[in-house]
Structures are given as C-alpha cells and as structure tokens.
Amino acid sequence: MVHALEPTARHPAPLQRLARMVAVMRHEPALAIGAVLTLAFAYLIVAPVVSILLQAVVVQPGDSARLHQGEGAFTLYYLARAFASRMSGILLWGPLVHTLTIAAGTVALSVSLGVVLAWLVNRTDLVGRGWFATALVVPFMLPTWTFALAWTTIFKNGVVGGQPGWLQAMGFATPNWLAYGTLPIIVILVLHYTPLVVLIVGNALHRLDVQMEECARILGAGPRMIAFSIVLPLVRPALLSAALLIFADCIGEFAVPYILGLPVNYDTLSTGLYRALSSRQTGVAAVLAGAIMIMGVVTLMIDLRMMREARRFVTVGGKGGLQRRQSLGRLRHLAALLPAAVVLIGVALPLLTLFLSTVMILPGRFTPDNFTLDFWIGSNLHTVALRNGILLTPEFWAAAWNTVRIVGIAAAISGTLGLLVGYAVLRSPVRLIGQVLRQITFLPYLVPGIAFAAAFLSLFAVSRGPIPALYGTPFILILALVAENMPFASRSGIAAMTQLGREPEEAARVAGAGFLTRMRRIVIPIQAGPLATAILLPFISGIKGVSLFVILAVPATDVLTTYSLRLLDYNYDQAANAVVLMIALIAWLGTVLIQRICGTGLARGLES
Amino acid sequence: MPDILLQGLTKTYGKGAAPAVDGVSLTVPHGEFLCLLGPSGCGKTTILRMIAGIEHATGGTILMDGEAVDSVDQARFVPPERRRVGLVFQNYALWPHMTVARNVDFGLRLQNVSPAEREARCRDVMTKLKIADYAERYPAQLSGGQQQRVALARMLAINPDVLLLDEPLSNLDAALRLEMRAELRRIHETFGTTIIFVSHDQWEAMTLASTIAVMDRGRLQQVGSPDEIYARPANRFVAEFIGNPRINMVNLADTPARAGESVAAHLAARLPQAAGASVCGIRPEEIRLVPEVSGDALCVTVAGIMPTGGSWVIELAHGADRLFFSTQSRPKVKPGERIGCLLPDEALHLFDAEGRRLAIPGYGLCEAA
Ligand SMILES: Nc1ncnc2c1ncn2[C@@H]1O[C@H](COP(=O)(O)OP(=O)(O)OP(=O)(O)O)[C@@H](O)[C@H]1O
Ligand SMILES: [Mg+2]
C-alpha cells in the first residue's frame, strides 16, 4: 500500500547544518582536490606574484645604505626612479614605447595578413589550399628566436663583435635600423603570429553556418555584401580574441628583443626587466614587472568583455555542411603567391639560412671549400673549446636530455593538474573553490615569463620553512614551468570536463565505482585525447621557452635553449644555430604528434 | 517492511531558487512498480537522483530498508556507490569509450564476479534486451533506442534492489515500446525488483505502473492506483493532467443571472447542497447525449466532430461554452445539429476554490471507463 504523508518542514540548527555538510562532502573528492590544489597554487602562483609586486615598494638588499632605510622598509624610491627620475626615460618610458609599438604593429600586420590568408585558404578555390593550410601553421611551431637568429645571420653588422652577417661579409653595410630594433622585431613577430590568426579565424570560418550566407544570397546579397555584413561580424569575436592574445604575448616577448635589441641597447619592458635583474636592481625590476602585469590585466579585461558580447552570437556553432567556395577564376594561381611568399619567408628562408650557417666556416662566402659538416659531426676541431661537432658533444646530449626530462615532467604534471582543476572546478559542491581555482590558475598568463622567473628566484632561492633552497636544482625549473603552463592546462582541463558532463561518472557511481575506479576507468580514458594535448602543447612551448630558463637554469641544469644562448655568447654561432635547429625539429615533431592525436584540436586548444 | 521511504524530501538548487522538489513524502513498499508522473520540470528526475544518491537532499529524509541513506536532520549520507540502486539516465550516459559489452559488464567487474558468470549474466541481459548483436559496437554507433536499451542492460546486469528509470521508453518506436514495456513488467515479476520510473506519458504510466504518484511544481499531488487517480482525482491539477481528451472544467463562480445561458448556470442550479464547490469537472466519456431536450438535459449544438482513430471527440457548444464529448462508437449526429446532453451527478467532480476535491455524497462516484 502506498500513501502520501504530510510534508514536514523544519529548519535545522547551524551545528546540525555543519554536520550535514560534512556527511555529504565526505563523499565528494572534488572538494578535497579543489582545496589541495588551491593551496598548492596559492604557493606556486600567488606567492611569487605577490612577492614580486611587494619588491617594488620595499627596500631591497643592498639598497639600504643608499636609501638610509632598513632592508624591507616601505619605500616609494623604486616607483619614483622608474616613473619620474632622470633615469625613467631609459628605464621605463623608452622600453614602454618600444613594447607598445612592437605589440601594436605586430597585431595590426598579422591580423590583416592572417585574415586574408584564412579567407584564401578556407573560402576560395586557391591552388594548393590543403597544402597551404598545413604549411602556414609551421612558423607558429618554430621558436620566435629561430627567426631572430636567422635574421642576425643575414643582417648582422659591425656594431657588435663576433662573426659578421652574410650581407656584411659580402660587402654590403647593413644599417642599424635593418639589423636591429623595431623593424626586424615586428617582421619576425608578424611571421610568427600570422599563423595563429589563420588558425583561429579559419576555425571560426569553418564553424560558420553556411546557411546564413546562403540565406543572404537568396535575399539577393552579393559576395561583398555577404562578406562585410554577415561573415565579418560573425567572425569578429574570434578575430578580436586572436588580436588580444597576440598583443598580450608580444608584451611579454623576451627572446626576440633579447637577440635583436640588446646588442644596440634597444630595450623593451621585458629585456629592460632582464637587464635590471642582472644588474641587481631588483626594486626597479619589480616595478617593470608590475607595469607588464598591468598591461596584461587590461588586455585580459578587454578580452573578457568582448567574450561576453560574443556570447550573444552563439549561433556561430552551426553544423557547417557543404562549404561554398568563392571562385577566384584565373586569379587562383596568382593569389597563391601570397601564401607561398609567407611560407617562403616564414619557414623556408629562416630554416635554410640557419642550416646553411651551420655548414659554412665563414659567413656569407658561398664557395665549395667554405662548406663543412664539422660543426655537426666533426671531431678534433681547431677551436678553443667545443672541439667536436655538436652531435658528438656530450654537453649537447646532456642538455637535450635535461630539456626533455625537465620540460616533459613539467608538462605531464601540468596536464594532469589541469584535468584535476577541471574536475574540481566543475564538480566541487562549493562554488567558491571553483571560482578561486579558475582565477588563480589563470594568473600566470598575466605575468610575463621573465617576471615570473624573477619572482620564483626571489621566493625559492633560499630555504623557507620545510621547503629547501631549490635554486640550482631541476625542481625550481619544473615548478616554474608547471605554474607557467597552468593557464593553458587548466583552461583545457575545464573545457574537457565541461564537455564530458557529469553523467558518465554518475552512472559509474551508481554502478558501484569508487572515486579511484571512476578516475581510472571512466574519466581519464574518455579524456585521453584532451589530456594528451594538454601535455604536449605545454611540452612544445616549454622546449621553445627562453625566459624562465635564462633566469632559473644553472650550468648543472642546462637545457637546449640556455646551451644555445651560451654558445652564442661565446661566438660559436654555427654550433648555436645547430642547437636551435634541433629545438625547432623537436617542437615540430611534437606538433605533428598533436595533430595526429587530436585532429583539429590544436586550433580549439589555442583559442580557449 | 517498506523498502523506500521519503519523508518531507526537499531539494533547492542554489539559494533563493524555488524548490525543485518540495516536501515530498512517499512510501514505496518492496516490489512496488511506481510511476512518477508529471509535466516537464516538475522535479521527477531530481527525486530519482536523490534516491540514487547523486544529488543530496536539502531537507527531509530518505530511508531504504529502514536505514537513513540521506537525512538532513541526522546528518547522514550514504554515497551512491553503496546504495545498490540502478539508475537509467534520461539521456543514457553510456560510456563512450567502452563497447556495449564492456558497458554492460562494468558493474559486475566491480563486484568481483567470476569471469564465467559475468559473461553468462551479460549475455542473458543483452539477449533479453535484444542488443546482443551489437555487443562489440561503441555507443556512438547505436541508434537512440539501442542506446536506451544498453543503458537499461547496464543497470539490470548488476541486479539492483531498486531500479530507477528516467523515461526509459521515450526514444523507442511504438512496437519496440510495447515489447520493452512487457519486458519491464516481466523483470518486475521475475526478480521482484522495486521499480520507480519516471514518465510524462500518462498512458504509459496507466498501463505499466501499479501505483502512480502525480507531481506538479515539486509537490506531490496524489498517490494511488491508476484507477483511483483517474476516477477520484485529488485536486484540479490531477483531474486536468490525467485523461485524454482532457476533462471538461466548468467554473461555477461566474454564474450569469439567467439559467440556461451557460453550463455553469445549468450546473449551479442542480447543485444546491454543494455550496463550497467552485469548479466542476466532467470527463468527456461520462457525458451522455440524448436525442431531444428533456427536463434536466442541456441544450447544445454540435460544433465539430474529430475522429481520433477508433474513437471520436465531439465538440458541443452551449452559448459561449464548449464541452468535449468522446465516444467509442461512430457518432450519428451531424455538425450544426441541436441535441440534448446529460451531465450525470455521479460523474461530476467537484473542487473548492483552492482546487481540492470535495467529497460530497452522490457526486464523482464514477469508476474508470
Ligand atoms: N542542476 C540544476 N541546477 C539548477 N536547477 C535545476 C538543476 N536540475 C534541475 N533543476 C531545476 O529543477 C526543476 C526540476 O527538474 P527535473 O529535472 O527534476 O524535472 P523533470 O520533472 O525531470 O522534467 P523533465 O520531464 O523535463 O525531465 C526544474 O525546474 C529544473 O530547471
Ligand atoms: Mg527529467
């Protein structure tokens, strides 16, 4: 027999509510995971950021005599010095103008170029579309400083010592504006970031429901009308997001201005920061780091705001269907010159230049007797050090092994943590933990690598409490890399867990599976693809990375990037370029692997 | 001993939101076949999820076999993995990375059943549900109906004490639905499993369940056998929700001055003793047509005839009022014809101003047709 009872409405006492909460939460591992992760990231991310910001306003070691204040006392000296002193032009304003010029120039040029290329590749019957779609992405996979080194190989002039550039060696004096500074930096960054625009905008074009265009066509709109009143507005969110991403990246860019600016005292904020750090002006360095962070925050706010507006266009995620392509007629061959030129200048030329430079004894002399494979595989060379070709040098292999080990471990950790963050954010019954985690893990995105490295150095160089001094060990590099990777890793983890939904896991719970079984048998296998991407992408960017290593690596923890920079410092240009080529090779192989594993996942991963 | 007992069960998602489930108290004895019936969004799924344990109550208690598995007052909560219930999700939630066979034997693996027995039990369940042919396919390669059966097989395989089904037949075609219905009934009879299933298809509920619990906006409206619910609806909502075509509802409150101009006036004149009644309902099949207008018959015009496959619904007009009449035999009237219609006292369901059923001797005694 069944009968309805009277409802019993009651309000439990606070203590009872607490007991109840404990009873329920005990079975929600997401909460514990979230709490542990929050604590860990508070230490790994928030503490360094706070510490570096604090350094801007307290007296730094070594400055107390000059400032007549005790170490650690509050001071506005560094702010005043950076913003309003005789030095501020050199310290802050000059670099700031350079940084903004570079970032704005890069964004403007790469977006214009990228949109045209994306349209050509995705929406027209251009010759060799499929091939270009792949080839155009390659420059983004190469480290930016590959281009920078190729540039110096060709254009370097007599202003700085060492081997001259090819043009100089052949008797053309290259002017400074061509060899160093704004122009080459912008050209290189445009080459590097245009593929990103092609990827993101291409992806948006791809998802655009053709029916919307067809509908407009039926109503009598011409191609131009459709492009400007339908396609462009709908693709605009993707476009803006790509532009802001590039802007933020350019502000933090270190390696290119390091190679192309530092020799002629051309500073951006990040190289200025590096210079301040290496001349032990930690206070000023902190001010510069703060300036970069503020710019990052502002960019991000704009991005968030635009994203919110973009939500109104949710229809963009249409099914696609048959893509109509614009016929270019006879122009379809001619138009292919543009992407061909980009591939030539962005991939073929730099790689070929670098490769040639590694097989030539003297730069710029194209005679048979000047070519040799000694720098790769020679032995008993007549040099002061490095008497073997790079492939026969134990230091090279040690550095390569170090790189793969350190970056690989860091990437695996951050990928896994990213998935756990996704789990905690979406499953935690306490909403606050999810929100805090989301924000914390995104914080490193606002902090340029070089500033972050500086913060890590100041925080972990000495032993604090239970944590021993980590400087000089691989651990500090791994921790810094993990923290630096968290924005991407957590974003992709959250996206993956959102897509999974909670029901597959709930079904497993009902079937009797405990937390570990659920993770092992349900969540991780379903997320294998996203997890692989979340590990491989940070791996590639870690291999290419410079700024963290430049500050945190010591000879014992040499990685390929620092190894090649050191070779460069000692004027072993050929060997340095050979190492760079090997880095590019590893990065490219990793990218191919990702494309294999998850198809178009790359574009989606970069967008999130 | 009752198997499942809900006491004042309440669930509120987030502060300030209207409760999705509001003080539901219900006893489900062992071996019961109960259907939760109600319009979309009334909290049916939420109740199932709370019984399964993947949602926790914000008020009240759930007892299973006398043990509190979720009690706000006693601060107790037993997680789903220890409740021995099976839940078939509204949208299946199959594991996309496992084949059908692996989906089905997942639960058995967790129970450390020997491989031979596991194999045998899975075969058996998959054969019964007609999915054995797809054992090696992945969920993405199945149709909606096949997926639904895999979801059912996955839960049947672990032989739970209680089986919770969230609209388990919604995606099947008519023939398969009949077959699966028979299969569900057979499972219920053979294993004696307590089954609670959710539906918003009243016909399915009527034919399958031994008890129906009707819900609206998170509250339980009435619990009873299908006959009871149909013949003696506890309130206006139940009366209107159950029955197809819908019950005719006449608002007695707005009676115009002269009788004979509205159905309300006609009824009000006949119901002197039922002063508290504000609404009167009569099911379409309880109305009787008479050839000519006699003493207490209502004079109506045939406004339309709609065949509904083996039965007919006839729209009757009386002034501005409309009454629907349904019959199993081919109607002999023509549109525009004037005839008389009888509204028998015992077929009148009376409700007060709050919509509660009024128990007045002589009224609303009809048995289900
Ligand atoms: N996770 C959630 N957060 C907030 N509100 C929810 C959540 N799940 C359900 N609700 C709300 O609770 C109410 C009851 O939902 P429920 O899913 O139980 O309805 P239902 O009766 O199963 O409906 P249907 O027949 O459409 O499946 C709805 O108003 C719904 O919007
Ligand atoms: Mg539901």
Side-chain angles (χ1 to χ4, degrees):
Chain A
M1 199 222 45
V2 178
H3 58 94
L5 303 171
E6 276 302 299
T8 51
R10 264 195 276 157
H11 294 283
L15 201 66
Q16 222 171 3
R17 281 230 302 271
L18 187 73
R20 162 72 179 170
M21 224 168 81
V22 172
V24 174
M25 301 305 172
R26 218 156 46 86
H27 303 287
E28 294 289 347
L31 192 69
I33 293 173
V36 170
L37 285 176
T38 308
L39 285 181
F41 290 132
Y43 193 64
L44 268 187
I45 295 174
V46 180
V49 170
V50 170
S51 91
I52 196 148
L53 288 177
L54 272 182
Q55 283 177 0
V57 290
V58 301
V59 177
Q60 294 301 300
D63 288 343
S64 58
R66 183 148 34 120
L67 301 183
H68 312 296
Q69 275 181 300
E71 205 179 296
F74 175 80
T75 177
L76 290 176
Y77 169 75
Y78 302 114
L79 283 169
R81 186 169 159 79
F83 281 94
S85 74
R86 272 185 305 117
M87 298 296 290
S88 54
I90 298 173
L91 284 178
L92 185 86
W93 300 119
L96 181 65
V97 170
H98 290 158
T99 306
L100 288 177
T101 313
I102 290 170
T106 305
V107 167
L109 292 174
S110 58
V111 165
S112 330
L113 186 57
V115 168
V116 174
L117 289 174
W119 177 72
L120 280 176
V121 168
N122 288 290
R123 280 301 166 98
T124 67
D125 59 347
L126 186 79
V127 209
R129 281 180 33 245
W131 186 81
F132 281 127
T134 320
L136 279 175
V137 181
V138 176
F140 190 64
M141 303 312 151
L142 301 175
T144 44
W145 43 302
T146 323
F147 304 92
L149 288 177
W151 191 280
T152 51
T153 304
I154 297 178
F155 294 105
K156 191 174 172 187
N157 62 18
V159 171
V160 288
Q163 294 184 337
W166 289 357
L167 289 178
Q168 189 84 12
M170 289 193 254
F172 305 101
T174 45
N176 263 352
W177 58 262
L178 182 60
Y180 305 103
T182 314
L183 176 84
I185 295 178
I186 289 184
V187 169
I188 284 167
L189 291 179
V190 167
L191 284 176
H192 182 69
Y193 286 113
T194 299
L196 187 66
V197 180
V198 177
L199 270 177
I200 292 181
V201 173
N203 204 28
L205 279 177
H206 222 73
R207 280 182 314 189
L208 202 64
D209 196 340
V210 267
Q211 287 173 5
M212 286 189 268
E213 284 175 74
E214 281 165 0
C215 189
R217 194 179 298 258
I218 290 166
L219 292 173
R224 181 177 312 236
M225 178 85 178
I226 290 175
F228 281 97
S229 62
I230 309 258
V231 178
L232 206 60
L234 286 173
V235 174
R236 202 178 55 188
L239 204 60
L240 287 174
S241 138
L244 288 167
L245 201 65
I246 295 171
F247 191 83
D249 270 8
C250 286
I251 287 172
E253 173 65 39
F254 171 73
V256 175
Y258 175 78
I259 295 170
L260 291 173
L262 227 48
V264 291
N265 289 335
Y266 175 96
D267 271 329
T268 62
L269 285 179
S270 54
T271 55
L273 171 61
Y274 175 71
R275 228 207 271 249
L277 276 177
S278 42
S279 58
R280 305 209 169 274
Q281 306 184 52
T282 34
V284 172
V287 176
L288 291 179
I292 302 180
M293 280 184 223
I294 288 172
M295 285 163 64
V297 173
V298 170
T299 320
L300 184 80
M301 302 287 251
I302 299 174
D303 187 38
L304 284 181
R305 186 167 193 137
M306 292 187 170
M307 276 305 172
R308 205 172 308 140
E309 278 173 23
R311 292 261 152 72
R312 285 186 283 142
F313 300 140
V314 275
T315 42
V316 176
K319 279 233 173 103
L322 262 187
Q323 295 271 348
R324 273 189 76 101
R325 297 191 183 284
Q326 174 103 30
S327 173
L328 293 175
R330 267 175 302 160
L331 281 179
R332 60 190 290 258
H333 294 278
L334 199 62
L337 284 182
L338 181 67
V342 171
V343 173
L344 184 73
I345 301 175
V347 185
L349 223 51
L351 289 183
L352 193 67
T353 306
L354 281 185
F355 178 71
L356 283 179
S357 80
T358 64
V359 293
M360 287 162 71
I361 300 168
L362 292 173
R365 187 184 299 169
F366 294 89
T367 52
D369 62 321
N370 194 35
F371 283 91
T372 174
L373 282 178
D374 277 354
F375 298 109
W376 287 96
I377 51 170
S379 52
N380 295 319
L381 308 178
H382 304 289
T383 42
V384 182
L386 201 73
R387 303 180 72 103
N388 292 328
I390 210 73
L391 293 181
L392 299 180
T393 306
E395 283 89 357
F396 167 77
W397 292 109
W401 168 233
N402 254 340
T403 311
V404 172
R405 197 171 48 134
I406 292 175
V407 176
I409 291 175
I413 292 177
S414 44
T416 313
L417 286 182
L419 197 64
L420 285 177
V421 168
Y423 190 82
V425 165
L426 285 162
R427 298 282 193 275
S428 165
V430 180
R431 188 94 42 89
L432 184 70
I433 286 203
Q435 279 163 351
V436 169
L437 260 183
R438 220 185 255 259
Q439 306 300 337
I440 289 192
T441 52
F442 198 65
L443 199 56
Y445 186 73
L446 308 175
V447 187
I450 198 98
F452 206 70
F456 251 72
L457 193 61
S458 74
L459 203 62
F460 295 109
V462 293
S463 76
R464 283 176 206 266
I467 316 273
L470 294 177
Y471 186 61
T473 67
F475 296 109
I476 193 167
L477 282 170
I478 292 177
L479 288 181
L481 278 169
V482 166
E484 173 114 320
N485 286 338
M486 276 331 287
F488 173 77
S490 64
R491 282 291 167 112
S492 60
I494 292 171
M497 290 306 294
T498 311
Q499 211 159 32
L500 174 66
R502 29 190 349 142
E503 288 187 340
E505 207 194 332
E506 285 171 355
R509 275 196 100 159
V510 172
F515 173 69
L516 289 178
T517 314
R518 263 153 29 217
M519 273 306 199
R520 197 163 47 86
R521 304 274 293 277
I522 306 289
V523 177
I524 292 177
I526 296 181
Q527 302 289 23
L531 186 62
T533 321
I535 291 176
L536 274 172
L537 266 179
F539 181 73
I540 293 170
S541 72
I543 297 249
K544 299 188 300 187
V546 175
S547 40
L548 283 183
F549 297 118
V550 142
I551 306 259
L552 294 176
V554 296
T557 54
D558 221 2
V559 291
L560 284 177
T561 43
T562 49
Y563 183 56
S564 76
L565 286 179
R566 201 137 35 83
L567 289 174
L568 212 58
D569 285 344
Y570 294 137
N571 284 324
Y572 291 109
D573 289 9
Q574 290 93 340
N577 289 353
V579 174
V580 172
L581 278 177
M582 295 303 284
I583 295 174
L585 183 70
I586 298 178
W588 178 74
L589 283 178
T591 314
V592 171
L593 202 59
I594 296 184
Q595 298 273 31
R596 277 285 143 77
I597 292 179
C598 44
T600 58
L602 190 60
R604 222 174 299 137
L606 290 169
E607 229 179 314
S608 62
Chain B
M1 163 150 279
D3 205 344
I4 301 175
L5 202 71
L6 313 183
Q7 292 173 337
L9 192 62
T10 300
K11 174 73 187 180
T12 312
Y13 290 106
K15 280 198 183 70
V21 173
D22 192 0
V24 167
S25 297
L26 185 65
T27 310
V28 188
H30 189 82
E32 180 71 49
F33 199 138
L34 175 85
C35 175
L36 285 176
L37 184 61
S40 186
C42 70
K44 308 177 295 281
T45 300
T46 306
I47 289 189
L48 282 201
R49 288 168 63 86
M50 283 195 283
I51 297 175
I54 49 188
E55 208 76 76
H56 57 88
T58 50
T61 302
I62 301 174
L63 294 142
M64 291 171 94
D65 279 329
E67 181 206 4
V69 292
D70 189 351
S71 165
V72 174
D73 297 340
Q74 294 171 39
R76 273 188 60 76
F77 184 79
V78 177
E81 50 268 36
R82 296 214 297 267
R83 288 198 188 180
R84 289 193 54 77
V85 298
L87 170 62
V88 176
F89 288 76
Q90 196 164 3
N91 47 5
Y92 330 132
L94 297 178
W95 298 305
H97 62 300
M98 297 183 186
T99 60
V100 167
R102 294 277 292 149
N103 261 286
V104 174
D105 81 354
F106 181 85
L108 292 176
R109 277 170 195 266
L110 293 176
Q111 293 177 1
N112 294 324
V113 178
S114 74
E117 192 192 337
R118 206 166 64 204
E119 167 79 28
R121 266 164 74 175
C122 287
R123 274 280 127 214
D124 183 42
V125 173
M126 289 197 290
T127 314
K128 270 186 196 148
L129 294 182
K130 302 193 169 43
I131 48 173
D133 290 348
Y134 318 122
E136 293 313 313
R137 290 213 203 156
Y138 285 91
Q141 300 165 318
L142 300 178
S143 74
Q146 289 161 349
Q147 289 183 22
Q148 206 157 37
R149 279 175 283 156
V150 176
L152 191 55
R154 181 170 72 178
M155 287 304 154
L156 285 179
I158 56 173
N159 197 11
D161 299 340
V162 182
L163 192 54
L164 307 172
L165 308 170
D166 202 346
E167 310 206 10
L169 309 178
S170 59
N171 252 317
L172 307 181
D173 61 46
L176 204 49
R177 191 182 295 211
L178 272 183
E179 231 170 282
M180 296 309 292
R181 230 177 247 167
E183 185 58 42
L184 273 185
R185 204 179 286 124
R186 227 176 42 71
I187 288 164
H188 179 237
E189 279 157 15
T190 337
F191 299 104
T193 316
T194 309
I195 295 182
I196 302 181
F197 88 101
V198 158
S199 180
H200 52 228
D201 178 347
Q202 45 169 306
W203 202 64
E204 185 170 289
M206 292 279 181
T207 50
L208 209 44
S210 47
T211 308
I212 294 178
V214 183
M215 293 188 57
D216 183 38
R217 276 173 284 168
R219 288 174 176 272
L220 204 55
Q221 304 296 322
Q222 186 174 8
V223 181
S225 70
D227 278 354
E228 241 173 274
I229 300 257
Y230 186 83
R232 275 187 295 285
N235 57 35
R236 210 181 142 170
F237 171 81
V238 177
E240 289 188 285
F241 188 72
I242 306 284
N244 190 16
R246 263 163 64 120
I247 192 168
N248 294 295
M249 280 294 178
V250 182
N251 201 341
L252 300 175
D254 44 52
T255 316
R258 279 172 300 151
E261 270 186 5
S262 74
V263 181
H266 169 82
L267 286 173
R270 282 173 43 198
L271 297 169
Q273 64 275 61
S278 91
V279 177
C280 174
I282 181 160
R283 296 210 178 271
E285 64 275 12
E286 307 281 6
I287 293 179
R288 252 169 284 146
L289 294 188
V290 287
E292 55 212 55
V293 182
S294 56
D296 50 354
L298 197 61
C299 177
V300 292
T301 313
V302 176
I305 302 176
M306 294 160 274
T308 55
S311 62
W312 286 260
V313 175
I314 299 175
E315 189 181 350
L316 305 170
H318 177 80
D321 292 337
R322 290 285 180 279
L323 288 176
F324 289 92
F325 161 74
S326 84
T327 172
Q328 305 285 333
S329 55
R330 185 175 293 279
K332 294 177 197 69
V333 292
K334 296 269 174 309
E337 205 176 315
R338 291 176 67 80
I339 49 169
C341 107
L342 285 175
L343 311 173
D345 279 355
E346 65 274 19
L348 298 180
H349 300 278
L350 300 174
F351 303 99
D352 67 12
E354 270 78 56
R356 284 181 302 238
R357 179 184 189 81
L358 288 173
I360 296 171
Y363 293 94
L365 297 176
C366 284
E367 291 309 309

